[in-house]
Amino acid sequence: MTISKEFALQDMPARRLICSRCGTEFGCNLSGNCWCAEETARLPMPVKGEDCLCRECLRKAAAEARSPDGAQA
């Protein structure tokens, strides 16, 4: 008997992560029910040495990415 990836991910508890920019602890659910799935911002995968960002830093990074000169919003 094999277990599908989708089934295996549903049973996984949320990971506890530390935002690589500000140090805030937050949860990440690999099943796709993560808070970031609700965000309208879509960014490239993290750069080398970074991991997921907290909600606030994700929004700031998205605003910077939209800015023509890359300035912080």
Side-chain angles (χ1 to χ4, degrees):
M1 181 175 145
T2 61
I3 298 175
S4 72
K5 272 187 177 180
E6 291 145 4
F7 181 76
L9 288 176
Q10 288 174 354
D11 291 341
M12 293 183 70
R15 299 182 304 158
R16 298 306 300 166
L17 297 174
I18 303 295
C19 176
S20 59
R21 294 205 179 168
C22 73
T24 298
E25 183 178 338
F26 64 97
C28 175
N29 190 333
L30 294 174
S31 70
N33 297 322
C34 187
W35 60 265
C36 68
E38 300 168 3
E39 291 292 314
T40 57
R42 297 291 180 253
L43 297 174
M45 292 300 291
V47 296
K48 186 175 181 179
E50 284 193 339
D51 199 347
C52 294
L53 303 176
C54 69
R55 187 181 304 259
E56 186 174 333
C57 287
L58 175 64
R59 289 177 177 171
K60 284 180 185 176
E64 290 169 15
R66 285 191 303 266
S67 176
D69 62 356
Q72 291 187 349

